[in-house]
mmCIF file of all heavy atoms in Angstrom:
data_model
loop_
_atom_site.group_PDB
_atom_site.id
_atom_site.type_symbol
_atom_site.label_atom_id
_atom_site.label_comp_id
_atom_site.label_asym_id
_atom_site.label_seq_id
_atom_site.Cartn_x
_atom_site.Cartn_y
_atom_site.Cartn_z
ATOM 1 N N GLY O 1 0.757 -1.248 0.001
ATOM 2 C CA GLY O 1 -0.002 -0.002 0.002
ATOM 3 C C GLY O 1 0.783 1.292 0.001
ATOM 4 O O GLY O 1 0.231 2.322 0.377
ATOM 5 N N ALA O 2 2.046 1.305 -0.436
ATOM 6 C CA ALA O 2 2.870 2.500 -0.292
ATOM 7 C C ALA O 2 2.904 3.389 -1.527
ATOM 8 O O ALA O 2 3.589 4.401 -1.532
ATOM 9 C CB ALA O 2 4.299 2.112 0.080
ATOM 10 N N LEU O 3 2.181 3.071 -2.573
ATOM 11 C CA LEU O 3 2.223 3.848 -3.804
ATOM 12 C C LEU O 3 1.759 5.284 -3.571
ATOM 13 O O LEU O 3 0.798 5.548 -2.842
ATOM 14 C CB LEU O 3 1.334 3.186 -4.856
ATOM 15 C CG LEU O 3 1.191 3.897 -6.200
ATOM 16 C CD1 LEU O 3 2.537 4.011 -6.912
ATOM 17 C CD2 LEU O 3 0.177 3.163 -7.081
ATOM 18 N N SER O 4 2.469 6.215 -4.218
ATOM 19 C CA SER O 4 2.014 7.609 -4.361
ATOM 20 C C SER O 4 1.935 7.850 -5.857
ATOM 21 O O SER O 4 2.907 7.576 -6.584
ATOM 22 C CB SER O 4 3.004 8.589 -3.726
ATOM 23 O OG SER O 4 3.177 8.330 -2.357
ATOM 24 N N ALA O 5 0.807 8.372 -6.364
ATOM 25 C CA ALA O 5 0.648 8.497 -7.807
ATOM 26 C C ALA O 5 -0.323 9.612 -8.154
ATOM 27 O O ALA O 5 -1.263 9.904 -7.403
ATOM 28 C CB ALA O 5 0.165 7.179 -8.414
ATOM 29 N N SER O 6 -0.108 10.201 -9.322
ATOM 30 C CA SER O 6 -1.060 11.188 -9.840
ATOM 31 C C SER O 6 -2.247 10.476 -10.471
ATOM 32 O O SER O 6 -2.190 9.287 -10.808
ATOM 33 C CB SER O 6 -0.375 12.081 -10.883
ATOM 34 O OG SER O 6 -0.080 11.325 -12.050
ATOM 35 N N GLY O 7 -3.307 11.230 -10.674
ATOM 36 C CA GLY O 7 -4.496 10.654 -11.300
ATOM 37 C C GLY O 7 -4.241 10.179 -12.712
ATOM 38 O O GLY O 7 -4.667 9.086 -13.100
ATOM 39 N N THR O 8 -3.532 10.984 -13.506
ATOM 40 C CA THR O 8 -3.315 10.589 -14.895
ATOM 41 C C THR O 8 -2.374 9.391 -14.998
ATOM 42 O O THR O 8 -2.514 8.569 -15.910
ATOM 43 C CB THR O 8 -2.753 11.769 -15.709
ATOM 44 O OG1 THR O 8 -1.635 12.348 -15.012
ATOM 45 C CG2 THR O 8 -3.815 12.846 -15.913
ATOM 46 N N ASP O 9 -1.424 9.288 -14.064
ATOM 47 C CA ASP O 9 -0.585 8.090 -14.057
ATOM 48 C C ASP O 9 -1.430 6.843 -13.818
ATOM 49 O O ASP O 9 -1.225 5.794 -14.449
ATOM 50 C CB ASP O 9 0.496 8.194 -12.982
ATOM 51 C CG ASP O 9 1.749 8.887 -13.492
ATOM 52 O OD1 ASP O 9 1.710 9.470 -14.596
ATOM 53 O OD2 ASP O 9 2.774 8.847 -12.788
ATOM 54 N N MET O 10 -2.381 6.941 -12.896
ATOM 55 C CA MET O 10 -3.250 5.792 -12.647
ATOM 56 C C MET O 10 -4.129 5.507 -13.852
ATOM 57 O O MET O 10 -4.484 4.355 -14.128
ATOM 58 C CB MET O 10 -4.096 6.022 -11.390
ATOM 59 C CG MET O 10 -3.286 6.076 -10.098
ATOM 60 S SD MET O 10 -2.234 4.624 -9.824
ATOM 61 C CE MET O 10 -3.455 3.313 -9.682
ATOM 62 N N GLY O 11 -4.445 6.555 -14.618
ATOM 63 C CA GLY O 11 -5.173 6.358 -15.865
ATOM 64 C C GLY O 11 -4.352 5.537 -16.846
ATOM 65 O O GLY O 11 -4.871 4.630 -17.521
ATOM 66 N N ARG O 12 -3.060 5.812 -16.946
ATOM 67 C CA ARG O 12 -2.187 5.056 -17.844
ATOM 68 C C ARG O 12 -2.066 3.602 -17.385
ATOM 69 O O ARG O 12 -2.029 2.678 -18.215
ATOM 70 C CB ARG O 12 -0.815 5.725 -17.923
ATOM 71 C CG ARG O 12 -0.852 7.125 -18.496
ATOM 72 C CD ARG O 12 0.521 7.760 -18.585
ATOM 73 N NE ARG O 12 1.368 7.118 -19.578
ATOM 74 C CZ ARG O 12 1.314 7.343 -20.885
ATOM 75 N NH1 ARG O 12 0.430 8.195 -21.372
ATOM 76 N NH2 ARG O 12 2.129 6.709 -21.702
ATOM 77 N N PHE O 13 -2.021 3.405 -16.086
ATOM 78 C CA PHE O 13 -1.958 2.034 -15.556
ATOM 79 C C PHE O 13 -3.231 1.268 -15.916
ATOM 80 O O PHE O 13 -3.172 0.095 -16.328
ATOM 81 C CB PHE O 13 -1.767 2.094 -14.047
ATOM 82 C CG PHE O 13 -1.626 0.748 -13.382
ATOM 83 C CD1 PHE O 13 -0.442 0.031 -13.453
ATOM 84 C CD2 PHE O 13 -2.681 0.187 -12.665
ATOM 85 C CE1 PHE O 13 -0.306 -1.209 -12.847
ATOM 86 C CE2 PHE O 13 -2.565 -1.044 -12.046
ATOM 87 C CZ PHE O 13 -1.368 -1.744 -12.146
ATOM 88 N N MET O 14 -4.397 1.936 -15.799
ATOM 89 C CA MET O 14 -5.659 1.281 -16.158
ATOM 90 C C MET O 14 -5.685 0.916 -17.638
ATOM 91 O O MET O 14 -6.101 -0.193 -18.014
ATOM 92 C CB MET O 14 -6.837 2.190 -15.813
ATOM 93 C CG MET O 14 -7.104 2.341 -14.328
ATOM 94 S SD MET O 14 -8.720 3.106 -13.962
ATOM 95 C CE MET O 14 -8.458 4.780 -14.550
ATOM 96 N N ILE O 15 -5.234 1.840 -18.492
ATOM 97 C CA ILE O 15 -5.253 1.569 -19.930
ATOM 98 C C ILE O 15 -4.394 0.357 -20.260
ATOM 99 O O ILE O 15 -4.783 -0.508 -21.069
ATOM 100 C CB ILE O 15 -4.774 2.803 -20.713
ATOM 101 C CG1 ILE O 15 -5.780 3.950 -20.565
ATOM 102 C CG2 ILE O 15 -4.600 2.465 -22.188
ATOM 103 C CD1 ILE O 15 -5.275 5.283 -21.093
ATOM 104 N N ALA O 16 -3.221 0.259 -19.652
ATOM 105 C CA ALA O 16 -2.340 -0.875 -19.922
ATOM 106 C C ALA O 16 -3.028 -2.193 -19.611
ATOM 107 O O ALA O 16 -2.912 -3.174 -20.374
ATOM 108 C CB ALA O 16 -1.047 -0.739 -19.114
ATOM 109 N N HIS O 17 -3.754 -2.241 -18.509
ATOM 110 C CA HIS O 17 -4.444 -3.501 -18.166
ATOM 111 C C HIS O 17 -5.662 -3.731 -19.055
ATOM 112 O O HIS O 17 -5.964 -4.882 -19.414
ATOM 113 C CB HIS O 17 -4.819 -3.506 -16.680
ATOM 114 C CG HIS O 17 -3.705 -3.994 -15.803
ATOM 115 N ND1 HIS O 17 -3.407 -5.320 -15.656
ATOM 116 C CD2 HIS O 17 -2.788 -3.316 -15.062
ATOM 117 C CE1 HIS O 17 -2.359 -5.460 -14.858
ATOM 118 N NE2 HIS O 17 -1.960 -4.259 -14.483
ATOM 119 N N LEU O 18 -6.361 -2.669 -19.416
ATOM 120 C CA LEU O 18 -7.501 -2.832 -20.323
ATOM 121 C C LEU O 18 -7.043 -3.305 -21.696
ATOM 122 O O LEU O 18 -7.802 -3.962 -22.420
ATOM 123 C CB LEU O 18 -8.253 -1.503 -20.453
ATOM 124 C CG LEU O 18 -9.114 -1.108 -19.243
ATOM 125 C CD1 LEU O 18 -9.517 0.356 -19.335
ATOM 126 C CD2 LEU O 18 -10.352 -1.990 -19.137
ATOM 127 N N GLN O 19 -5.793 -2.983 -22.066
ATOM 128 C CA GLN O 19 -5.249 -3.376 -23.370
ATOM 129 C C GLN O 19 -4.331 -4.591 -23.255
ATOM 130 O O GLN O 19 -3.373 -4.732 -24.016
ATOM 131 C CB GLN O 19 -4.511 -2.183 -23.998
ATOM 132 C CG GLN O 19 -5.455 -1.025 -24.306
ATOM 133 C CD GLN O 19 -4.795 0.113 -25.059
ATOM 134 O OE1 GLN O 19 -5.470 0.874 -25.734
ATOM 135 N NE2 GLN O 19 -3.484 0.242 -24.955
ATOM 136 N N HIS O 20 -4.631 -5.436 -22.295
ATOM 137 C CA HIS O 20 -3.945 -6.729 -22.165
ATOM 138 C C HIS O 20 -2.439 -6.565 -21.969
ATOM 139 O O HIS O 20 -1.646 -7.350 -22.482
ATOM 140 C CB HIS O 20 -4.236 -7.626 -23.372
ATOM 141 C CG HIS O 20 -5.689 -7.744 -23.703
ATOM 142 N ND1 HIS O 20 -6.540 -8.584 -23.036
ATOM 143 C CD2 HIS O 20 -6.454 -7.086 -24.630
ATOM 144 C CE1 HIS O 20 -7.767 -8.463 -23.531
ATOM 145 N NE2 HIS O 20 -7.739 -7.561 -24.497
ATOM 146 N N GLY O 21 -2.046 -5.540 -21.195
ATOM 147 C CA GLY O 21 -0.649 -5.391 -20.819
ATOM 148 C C GLY O 21 0.175 -4.465 -21.678
ATOM 149 O O GLY O 21 1.405 -4.455 -21.541
ATOM 150 N N GLU O 22 -0.456 -3.629 -22.529
ATOM 151 C CA GLU O 22 0.311 -2.792 -23.450
ATOM 152 C C GLU O 22 -0.217 -1.360 -23.466
ATOM 153 O O GLU O 22 -1.413 -1.124 -23.342
ATOM 154 C CB GLU O 22 0.228 -3.383 -24.858
ATOM 155 C CG GLU O 22 1.045 -2.673 -25.903
ATOM 156 C CD GLU O 22 0.300 -1.542 -26.602
ATOM 157 O OE1 GLU O 22 -0.965 -1.584 -26.625
ATOM 158 O OE2 GLU O 22 0.966 -0.620 -27.117
ATOM 159 N N LEU O 23 0.704 -0.400 -23.611
ATOM 160 C CA LEU O 23 0.343 1.018 -23.744
ATOM 161 C C LEU O 23 1.392 1.707 -24.602
ATOM 162 O O LEU O 23 2.595 1.623 -24.310
ATOM 163 C CB LEU O 23 0.264 1.688 -22.369
ATOM 164 C CG LEU O 23 0.056 3.206 -22.372
ATOM 165 C CD1 LEU O 23 -1.313 3.547 -22.976
ATOM 166 C CD2 LEU O 23 0.153 3.780 -20.957
ATOM 167 N N ASP O 24 0.931 2.368 -25.636
ATOM 168 C CA ASP O 24 1.803 3.154 -26.515
ATOM 169 C C ASP O 24 2.998 2.336 -27.011
ATOM 170 O O ASP O 24 4.149 2.815 -27.059
ATOM 171 C CB ASP O 24 2.310 4.408 -25.796
ATOM 172 C CG ASP O 24 1.186 5.374 -25.445
ATOM 173 O OD1 ASP O 24 0.127 5.300 -26.087
ATOM 174 O OD2 ASP O 24 1.387 6.180 -24.518
ATOM 175 N N GLY O 25 2.741 1.094 -27.345
ATOM 176 C CA GLY O 25 3.799 0.241 -27.868
ATOM 177 C C GLY O 25 4.698 -0.377 -26.817
ATOM 178 O O GLY O 25 5.592 -1.164 -27.149
ATOM 179 N N GLN O 26 4.489 -0.033 -25.568
ATOM 180 C CA GLN O 26 5.267 -0.603 -24.472
ATOM 181 C C GLN O 26 4.447 -1.711 -23.804
ATOM 182 O O GLN O 26 3.333 -1.471 -23.348
ATOM 183 C CB GLN O 26 5.615 0.471 -23.447
ATOM 184 C CG GLN O 26 6.522 1.558 -23.966
ATOM 185 C CD GLN O 26 7.903 1.038 -24.306
ATOM 186 O OE1 GLN O 26 8.501 0.304 -23.523
ATOM 187 N NE2 GLN O 26 8.412 1.422 -25.471
ATOM 188 N N ARG O 27 5.004 -2.895 -23.767
ATOM 189 C CA ARG O 27 4.270 -4.030 -23.183
ATOM 190 C C ARG O 27 4.869 -4.390 -21.824
ATOM 191 O O ARG O 27 6.062 -4.666 -21.727
ATOM 192 C CB ARG O 27 4.316 -5.238 -24.110
ATOM 193 C CG ARG O 27 3.565 -6.464 -23.576
ATOM 194 C CD ARG O 27 3.257 -7.457 -24.652
ATOM 195 N NE ARG O 27 2.274 -6.978 -25.608
ATOM 196 C CZ ARG O 27 0.960 -6.929 -25.377
ATOM 197 N NH1 ARG O 27 0.484 -7.330 -24.185
ATOM 198 N NH2 ARG O 27 0.143 -6.472 -26.280
ATOM 199 N N ILE O 28 4.023 -4.346 -20.768
ATOM 200 C CA ILE O 28 4.489 -4.718 -19.442
ATOM 201 C C ILE O 28 4.120 -6.158 -19.089
ATOM 202 O O ILE O 28 4.674 -6.728 -18.146
ATOM 203 C CB ILE O 28 3.950 -3.761 -18.355
ATOM 204 C CG1 ILE O 28 2.417 -3.769 -18.325
ATOM 205 C CG2 ILE O 28 4.501 -2.367 -18.549
ATOM 206 C CD1 ILE O 28 1.818 -3.057 -17.123
ATOM 207 N N LEU O 29 3.191 -6.730 -19.834
ATOM 208 C CA LEU O 29 2.803 -8.130 -19.637
ATOM 209 C C LEU O 29 2.510 -8.756 -20.993
ATOM 210 O O LEU O 29 1.872 -8.113 -21.844
ATOM 211 C CB LEU O 29 1.542 -8.249 -18.769
ATOM 212 C CG LEU O 29 1.632 -7.951 -17.274
ATOM 213 C CD1 LEU O 29 0.235 -7.939 -16.654
ATOM 214 C CD2 LEU O 29 2.514 -8.963 -16.563
#
C-alpha cells in the first residue's frame, strides 16, 4: 500500500491493463 501516484498516471496504468498489458507500444505483460 505505499504507492504515491497522480491521477493521470493511474489512468495510464488502467489503460495498460485494459489493453492486455500494453500502452503506446510498451508491453508490461
Side-chain angles (χ1 to χ4, degrees):
L3 177 62
S4 301
S6 68
T8 50
D9 272 12
M10 293 305 297
R12 297 181 69 80
F13 183 77
M14 289 193 292
I15 293 170
H17 274 281
L18 286 166
Q19 295 186 156
H20 310 280
E22 184 271 336
L23 173 65
D24 296 338
Q26 296 294 314
R27 180 162 291 283
I28 60 169
L29 288 172

